[in-house]
Amino acid sequence: MREYAAQTGSEVFVICASIEAEIAELDDDERAMFLEDLGVKEAGLDKLISASYRTLGLMSFLTAGEDETRAWTIKIGTKAPQAAGKIHSDFERGFIKAEVVNYKVLLELGSLAAAREKGLVGIEGKEYVVKDGDVILFRFNV
């Protein structure tokens, strides 16, 4: 199977339903220890989701506010206005600019304000191609 997958540019990985069921019942710390004990970096379900996204040409960007952080699925190569349109058509129609920071930078610094202070938030226009893991604050006017 692995040989055929290699010839066709496909992916193969093993998923054990009983192990996945055990993982699903664990909290984050227990899950990390369990996976480490198994000698694997990620659960089979996580591998399946990642492979599905790659196969379908999809990726995610995030929006974050005081009450909610949300991931939005878009096609790879999507420009900022069209990504904004995934949230609401008015966002795409009235797109002005996007404030963009990578989620890893945001997690490390703890806030958008801290990222701005360090000059790590980009101001992007209509031609910006959204990257996987971007956290975006859309500016628009309708």
PDB file of all heavy atoms in Angstrom, residues 2-30:
ATOM      1  N   ARG A   2       1.939   1.235   0.831  1.00  0.00           N
ATOM      2  CA  ARG A   2       2.833   2.402   0.892  1.00  0.00           C
ATOM      3  C   ARG A   2       3.523   2.640  -0.446  1.00  0.00           C
ATOM      4  O   ARG A   2       3.710   3.787  -0.868  1.00  0.00           O
ATOM      5  CB  ARG A   2       3.847   2.231   2.009  1.00  0.00           C
ATOM      6  CG  ARG A   2       3.240   2.315   3.394  1.00  0.00           C
ATOM      7  CD  ARG A   2       4.320   2.254   4.481  1.00  0.00           C
ATOM      8  NE  ARG A   2       3.764   2.039   5.795  1.00  0.00           N
ATOM      9  CZ  ARG A   2       3.231   2.996   6.556  1.00  0.00           C
ATOM     10  NH1 ARG A   2       3.179   4.228   6.126  1.00  0.00           N
ATOM     11  NH2 ARG A   2       2.741   2.698   7.746  1.00  0.00           N
ATOM     12  N   GLU A   3       3.898   1.557  -1.113  1.00  0.00           N
ATOM     13  CA  GLU A   3       4.553   1.660  -2.413  1.00  0.00           C
ATOM     14  C   GLU A   3       3.604   2.279  -3.436  1.00  0.00           C
ATOM     15  O   GLU A   3       3.976   3.182  -4.185  1.00  0.00           O
ATOM     16  CB  GLU A   3       4.998   0.269  -2.863  1.00  0.00           C
ATOM     17  CG  GLU A   3       5.918   0.263  -4.044  1.00  0.00           C
ATOM     18  CD  GLU A   3       6.401  -1.149  -4.367  1.00  0.00           C
ATOM     19  OE1 GLU A   3       7.021  -1.777  -3.476  1.00  0.00           O
ATOM     20  OE2 GLU A   3       6.116  -1.600  -5.491  1.00  0.00           O
ATOM     21  N   TYR A   4       2.377   1.815  -3.461  1.00  0.00           N
ATOM     22  CA  TYR A   4       1.384   2.358  -4.391  1.00  0.00           C
ATOM     23  C   TYR A   4       1.122   3.838  -4.084  1.00  0.00           C
ATOM     24  O   TYR A   4       1.045   4.664  -4.994  1.00  0.00           O
ATOM     25  CB  TYR A   4       0.074   1.561  -4.301  1.00  0.00           C
ATOM     26  CG  TYR A   4      -1.019   2.140  -5.169  1.00  0.00           C
ATOM     27  CD1 TYR A   4      -1.011   1.936  -6.556  1.00  0.00           C
ATOM     28  CD2 TYR A   4      -2.043   2.900  -4.615  1.00  0.00           C
ATOM     29  CE1 TYR A   4      -2.000   2.478  -7.360  1.00  0.00           C
ATOM     30  CE2 TYR A   4      -3.036   3.439  -5.417  1.00  0.00           C
ATOM     31  CZ  TYR A   4      -3.013   3.242  -6.780  1.00  0.00           C
ATOM     32  OH  TYR A   4      -3.979   3.785  -7.585  1.00  0.00           O
ATOM     33  N   ALA A   5       1.017   4.180  -2.812  1.00  0.00           N
ATOM     34  CA  ALA A   5       0.783   5.570  -2.420  1.00  0.00           C
ATOM     35  C   ALA A   5       1.926   6.459  -2.885  1.00  0.00           C
ATOM     36  O   ALA A   5       1.700   7.564  -3.383  1.00  0.00           O
ATOM     37  CB  ALA A   5       0.599   5.667  -0.915  1.00  0.00           C
ATOM     38  N   ALA A   6       3.154   5.983  -2.728  1.00  0.00           N
ATOM     39  CA  ALA A   6       4.315   6.750  -3.164  1.00  0.00           C
ATOM     40  C   ALA A   6       4.284   6.983  -4.672  1.00  0.00           C
ATOM     41  O   ALA A   6       4.612   8.076  -5.150  1.00  0.00           O
ATOM     42  CB  ALA A   6       5.602   6.048  -2.749  1.00  0.00           C
ATOM     43  N   GLN A   7       3.869   5.976  -5.420  1.00  0.00           N
ATOM     44  CA  GLN A   7       3.806   6.084  -6.883  1.00  0.00           C
ATOM     45  C   GLN A   7       2.726   7.059  -7.336  1.00  0.00           C
ATOM     46  O   GLN A   7       2.857   7.701  -8.378  1.00  0.00           O
ATOM     47  CB  GLN A   7       3.550   4.719  -7.501  1.00  0.00           C
ATOM     48  CG  GLN A   7       4.689   3.752  -7.367  1.00  0.00           C
ATOM     49  CD  GLN A   7       4.307   2.344  -7.827  1.00  0.00           C
ATOM     50  OE1 GLN A   7       3.183   2.087  -8.242  1.00  0.00           O
ATOM     51  NE2 GLN A   7       5.269   1.428  -7.728  1.00  0.00           N
ATOM     52  N   THR A   8       1.650   7.165  -6.565  1.00  0.00           N
ATOM     53  CA  THR A   8       0.526   8.021  -6.958  1.00  0.00           C
ATOM     54  C   THR A   8       0.516   9.369  -6.246  1.00  0.00           C
ATOM     55  O   THR A   8      -0.412  10.155  -6.428  1.00  0.00           O
ATOM     56  CB  THR A   8      -0.814   7.306  -6.681  1.00  0.00           C
ATOM     57  OG1 THR A   8      -0.923   7.040  -5.276  1.00  0.00           O
ATOM     58  CG2 THR A   8      -0.918   6.022  -7.489  1.00  0.00           C
ATOM     59  N   GLY A   9       1.533   9.622  -5.422  1.00  0.00           N
ATOM     60  CA  GLY A   9       1.593  10.893  -4.698  1.00  0.00           C
ATOM     61  C   GLY A   9       0.572  10.984  -3.580  1.00  0.00           C
ATOM     62  O   GLY A   9       0.154  12.071  -3.201  1.00  0.00           O
ATOM     63  N   SER A  10       0.167   9.844  -3.066  1.00  0.00           N
ATOM     64  CA  SER A  10      -0.815   9.799  -1.981  1.00  0.00           C
ATOM     65  C   SER A  10      -0.123   9.616  -0.640  1.00  0.00           C
ATOM     66  O   SER A  10       1.078   9.383  -0.575  1.00  0.00           O
ATOM     67  CB  SER A  10      -1.787   8.636  -2.202  1.00  0.00           C
ATOM     68  OG  SER A  10      -2.452   8.785  -3.431  1.00  0.00           O
ATOM     69  N   GLU A  11      -0.890   9.719   0.419  1.00  0.00           N
ATOM     70  CA  GLU A  11      -0.362   9.533   1.760  1.00  0.00           C
ATOM     71  C   GLU A  11      -0.965   8.285   2.385  1.00  0.00           C
ATOM     72  O   GLU A  11      -2.109   7.936   2.104  1.00  0.00           O
ATOM     73  CB  GLU A  11      -0.706  10.722   2.652  1.00  0.00           C
ATOM     74  CG  GLU A  11      -0.065  12.014   2.218  1.00  0.00           C
ATOM     75  CD  GLU A  11      -0.382  13.149   3.172  1.00  0.00           C
ATOM     76  OE1 GLU A  11      -0.166  12.995   4.391  1.00  0.00           O
ATOM     77  OE2 GLU A  11      -0.856  14.182   2.687  1.00  0.00           O
ATOM     78  N   VAL A  12      -0.193   7.638   3.234  1.00  0.00           N
ATOM     79  CA  VAL A  12      -0.668   6.485   3.986  1.00  0.00           C
ATOM     80  C   VAL A  12      -0.232   6.659   5.427  1.00  0.00           C
ATOM     81  O   VAL A  12       0.908   7.033   5.696  1.00  0.00           O
ATOM     82  CB  VAL A  12      -0.073   5.162   3.446  1.00  0.00           C
ATOM     83  CG1 VAL A  12      -0.464   3.991   4.336  1.00  0.00           C
ATOM     84  CG2 VAL A  12      -0.514   4.914   2.024  1.00  0.00           C
ATOM     85  N   PHE A  13      -1.139   6.429   6.336  1.00  0.00           N
ATOM     86  CA  PHE A  13      -0.806   6.402   7.751  1.00  0.00           C
ATOM     87  C   PHE A  13      -1.789   5.495   8.455  1.00  0.00           C
ATOM     88  O   PHE A  13      -2.878   5.225   7.956  1.00  0.00           O
ATOM     89  CB  PHE A  13      -0.771   7.792   8.378  1.00  0.00           C
ATOM     90  CG  PHE A  13      -1.976   8.639   8.065  1.00  0.00           C
ATOM     91  CD1 PHE A  13      -3.100   8.594   8.858  1.00  0.00           C
ATOM     92  CD2 PHE A  13      -1.975   9.464   6.950  1.00  0.00           C
ATOM     93  CE1 PHE A  13      -4.203   9.363   8.561  1.00  0.00           C
ATOM     94  CE2 PHE A  13      -3.079  10.235   6.648  1.00  0.00           C
ATOM     95  CZ  PHE A  13      -4.198  10.189   7.454  1.00  0.00           C
ATOM     96  N   VAL A  14      -1.370   4.993   9.590  1.00  0.00           N
ATOM     97  CA  VAL A  14      -2.174   4.026  10.322  1.00  0.00           C
ATOM     98  C   VAL A  14      -2.989   4.746  11.389  1.00  0.00           C
ATOM     99  O   VAL A  14      -2.476   5.610  12.098  1.00  0.00           O
ATOM    100  CB  VAL A  14      -1.261   2.962  10.986  1.00  0.00           C
ATOM    101  CG1 VAL A  14      -2.074   1.989  11.815  1.00  0.00           C
ATOM    102  CG2 VAL A  14      -0.465   2.235   9.918  1.00  0.00           C
ATOM    103  N   ILE A  15      -4.234   4.345  11.489  1.00  0.00           N
ATOM    104  CA  ILE A  15      -5.109   4.847  12.545  1.00  0.00           C
ATOM    105  C   ILE A  15      -5.697   3.633  13.262  1.00  0.00           C
ATOM    106  O   ILE A  15      -6.282   2.761  12.622  1.00  0.00           O
ATOM    107  CB  ILE A  15      -6.248   5.727  12.000  1.00  0.00           C
ATOM    108  CG1 ILE A  15      -5.671   6.981  11.336  1.00  0.00           C
ATOM    109  CG2 ILE A  15      -7.215   6.110  13.107  1.00  0.00           C
ATOM    110  CD1 ILE A  15      -6.708   7.887  10.723  1.00  0.00           C
ATOM    111  N   CYS A  16      -5.530   3.606  14.568  1.00  0.00           N
ATOM    112  CA  CYS A  16      -6.084   2.529  15.379  1.00  0.00           C
ATOM    113  C   CYS A  16      -7.287   3.089  16.140  1.00  0.00           C
ATOM    114  O   CYS A  16      -7.148   3.977  16.986  1.00  0.00           O
ATOM    115  CB  CYS A  16      -5.029   2.005  16.354  1.00  0.00           C
ATOM    116  SG  CYS A  16      -5.669   0.751  17.482  1.00  0.00           S
ATOM    117  N   ALA A  17      -8.467   2.590  15.832  1.00  0.00           N
ATOM    118  CA  ALA A  17      -9.706   3.112  16.418  1.00  0.00           C
ATOM    119  C   ALA A  17      -9.712   3.028  17.938  1.00  0.00           C
ATOM    120  O   ALA A  17     -10.168   3.959  18.610  1.00  0.00           O
ATOM    121  CB  ALA A  17     -10.910   2.383  15.839  1.00  0.00           C
ATOM    122  N   SER A  18      -9.203   1.943  18.503  1.00  0.00           N
ATOM    123  CA  SER A  18      -9.232   1.812  19.969  1.00  0.00           C
ATOM    124  C   SER A  18      -8.302   2.836  20.631  1.00  0.00           C
ATOM    125  O   SER A  18      -8.649   3.411  21.663  1.00  0.00           O
ATOM    126  CB  SER A  18      -8.875   0.393  20.404  1.00  0.00           C
ATOM    127  OG  SER A  18      -7.568   0.054  19.991  1.00  0.00           O
ATOM    128  N   ILE A  19      -7.151   3.091  20.028  1.00  0.00           N
ATOM    129  CA  ILE A  19      -6.242   4.115  20.579  1.00  0.00           C
ATOM    130  C   ILE A  19      -6.860   5.496  20.427  1.00  0.00           C
ATOM    131  O   ILE A  19      -6.797   6.318  21.354  1.00  0.00           O
ATOM    132  CB  ILE A  19      -4.861   4.039  19.892  1.00  0.00           C
ATOM    133  CG1 ILE A  19      -4.145   2.761  20.326  1.00  0.00           C
ATOM    134  CG2 ILE A  19      -4.022   5.269  20.228  1.00  0.00           C
ATOM    135  CD1 ILE A  19      -2.829   2.506  19.610  1.00  0.00           C
ATOM    136  N   GLU A  20      -7.464   5.769  19.286  1.00  0.00           N
ATOM    137  CA  GLU A  20      -8.117   7.067  19.081  1.00  0.00           C
ATOM    138  C   GLU A  20      -9.240   7.282  20.088  1.00  0.00           C
ATOM    139  O   GLU A  20      -9.439   8.390  20.585  1.00  0.00           O
ATOM    140  CB  GLU A  20      -8.646   7.192  17.651  1.00  0.00           C
ATOM    141  CG  GLU A  20      -7.576   7.255  16.594  1.00  0.00           C
ATOM    142  CD  GLU A  20      -6.600   8.411  16.764  1.00  0.00           C
ATOM    143  OE1 GLU A  20      -7.038   9.561  16.994  1.00  0.00           O
ATOM    144  OE2 GLU A  20      -5.393   8.170  16.666  1.00  0.00           O
ATOM    145  N   ALA A  21      -9.975   6.228  20.412  1.00  0.00           N
ATOM    146  CA  ALA A  21     -11.047   6.332  21.415  1.00  0.00           C
ATOM    147  C   ALA A  21     -10.469   6.664  22.780  1.00  0.00           C
ATOM    148  O   ALA A  21     -11.032   7.485  23.521  1.00  0.00           O
ATOM    149  CB  ALA A  21     -11.837   5.032  21.472  1.00  0.00           C
ATOM    150  N   GLU A  22      -9.341   6.056  23.123  1.00  0.00           N
ATOM    151  CA  GLU A  22      -8.689   6.366  24.402  1.00  0.00           C
ATOM    152  C   GLU A  22      -8.212   7.812  24.429  1.00  0.00           C
ATOM    153  O   GLU A  22      -8.401   8.519  25.420  1.00  0.00           O
ATOM    154  CB  GLU A  22      -7.494   5.439  24.629  1.00  0.00           C
ATOM    155  CG  GLU A  22      -7.871   4.017  24.999  1.00  0.00           C
ATOM    156  CD  GLU A  22      -6.640   3.167  25.271  1.00  0.00           C
ATOM    157  OE1 GLU A  22      -5.820   3.580  26.118  1.00  0.00           O
ATOM    158  OE2 GLU A  22      -6.516   2.107  24.638  1.00  0.00           O
ATOM    159  N   ILE A  23      -7.596   8.258  23.345  1.00  0.00           N
ATOM    160  CA  ILE A  23      -7.078   9.625  23.258  1.00  0.00           C
ATOM    161  C   ILE A  23      -8.204  10.640  23.419  1.00  0.00           C
ATOM    162  O   ILE A  23      -8.039  11.658  24.087  1.00  0.00           O
ATOM    163  CB  ILE A  23      -6.345   9.830  21.916  1.00  0.00           C
ATOM    164  CG1 ILE A  23      -5.036   9.045  21.907  1.00  0.00           C
ATOM    165  CG2 ILE A  23      -6.081  11.310  21.651  1.00  0.00           C
ATOM    166  CD1 ILE A  23      -4.342   9.000  20.560  1.00  0.00           C
ATOM    167  N   ALA A  24      -9.346  10.354  22.837  1.00  0.00           N
ATOM    168  CA  ALA A  24     -10.479  11.278  22.887  1.00  0.00           C
ATOM    169  C   ALA A  24     -10.971  11.524  24.306  1.00  0.00           C
ATOM    170  O   ALA A  24     -11.560  12.572  24.590  1.00  0.00           O
ATOM    171  CB  ALA A  24     -11.625  10.748  22.022  1.00  0.00           C
ATOM    172  N   GLU A  25     -10.718  10.611  25.205  1.00  0.00           N
ATOM    173  CA  GLU A  25     -11.192  10.746  26.580  1.00  0.00           C
ATOM    174  C   GLU A  25     -10.182  11.418  27.507  1.00  0.00           C
ATOM    175  O   GLU A  25     -10.477  11.655  28.671  1.00  0.00           O
ATOM    176  CB  GLU A  25     -11.564   9.367  27.122  1.00  0.00           C
ATOM    177  CG  GLU A  25     -12.749   8.757  26.394  1.00  0.00           C
ATOM    178  CD  GLU A  25     -13.160   7.410  26.942  1.00  0.00           C
ATOM    179  OE1 GLU A  25     -12.707   7.047  28.035  1.00  0.00           O
ATOM    180  OE2 GLU A  25     -13.931   6.725  26.258  1.00  0.00           O
ATOM    181  N   LEU A  26      -9.005  11.753  26.998  1.00  0.00           N
ATOM    182  CA  LEU A  26      -7.952  12.321  27.832  1.00  0.00           C
ATOM    183  C   LEU A  26      -7.945  13.843  27.756  1.00  0.00           C
ATOM    184  O   LEU A  26      -8.305  14.427  26.735  1.00  0.00           O
ATOM    185  CB  LEU A  26      -6.585  11.790  27.378  1.00  0.00           C
ATOM    186  CG  LEU A  26      -6.392  10.275  27.408  1.00  0.00           C
ATOM    187  CD1 LEU A  26      -5.043   9.914  26.786  1.00  0.00           C
ATOM    188  CD2 LEU A  26      -6.483   9.744  28.833  1.00  0.00           C
ATOM    189  N   ASP A  27      -7.482  14.482  28.853  1.00  0.00           N
ATOM    190  CA  ASP A  27      -7.290  15.927  28.785  1.00  0.00           C
ATOM    191  C   ASP A  27      -5.963  16.190  28.073  1.00  0.00           C
ATOM    192  O   ASP A  27      -5.211  15.263  27.759  1.00  0.00           O
ATOM    193  CB  ASP A  27      -7.339  16.572  30.176  1.00  0.00           C
ATOM    194  CG  ASP A  27      -6.198  16.159  31.100  1.00  0.00           C
ATOM    195  OD1 ASP A  27      -5.093  15.884  30.608  1.00  0.00           O
ATOM    196  OD2 ASP A  27      -6.414  16.144  32.326  1.00  0.00           O
ATOM    197  N   ASP A  28      -5.651  17.455  27.806  1.00  0.00           N
ATOM    198  CA  ASP A  28      -4.483  17.793  26.989  1.00  0.00           C
ATOM    199  C   ASP A  28      -3.169  17.253  27.554  1.00  0.00           C
ATOM    200  O   ASP A  28      -2.337  16.740  26.807  1.00  0.00           O
ATOM    201  CB  ASP A  28      -4.382  19.310  26.808  1.00  0.00           C
ATOM    202  CG  ASP A  28      -5.473  19.855  25.892  1.00  0.00           C
ATOM    203  OD1 ASP A  28      -6.094  19.058  25.164  1.00  0.00           O
ATOM    204  OD2 ASP A  28      -5.688  21.078  25.910  1.00  0.00           O
ATOM    205  N   ASP A  29      -2.964  17.379  28.867  1.00  0.00           N
ATOM    206  CA  ASP A  29      -1.713  16.909  29.471  1.00  0.00           C
ATOM    207  C   ASP A  29      -1.586  15.387  29.379  1.00  0.00           C
ATOM    208  O   ASP A  29      -0.530  14.865  29.021  1.00  0.00           O
ATOM    209  CB  ASP A  29      -1.614  17.347  30.941  1.00  0.00           C
ATOM    210  CG  ASP A  29      -1.434  18.853  31.083  1.00  0.00           C
ATOM    211  OD1 ASP A  29      -0.907  19.475  30.137  1.00  0.00           O
ATOM    212  OD2 ASP A  29      -1.816  19.397  32.136  1.00  0.00           O
ATOM    213  N   GLU A  30      -2.675  14.691  29.705  1.00  0.00           N
ATOM    214  CA  GLU A  30      -2.660  13.232  29.633  1.00  0.00           C
ATOM    215  C   GLU A  30      -2.467  12.766  28.190  1.00  0.00           C
ATOM    216  O   GLU A  30      -1.777  11.791  27.930  1.00  0.00           O
ATOM    217  CB  GLU A  30      -3.970  12.650  30.184  1.00  0.00           C
ATOM    218  CG  GLU A  30      -4.140  12.833  31.678  1.00  0.00           C
ATOM    219  CD  GLU A  30      -5.515  12.391  32.148  1.00  0.00           C
ATOM    220  OE1 GLU A  30      -6.506  12.575  31.394  1.00  0.00           O
ATOM    221  OE2 GLU A  30      -5.605  11.877  33.277  1.00  0.00           O
TER     222      GLU A  30
END
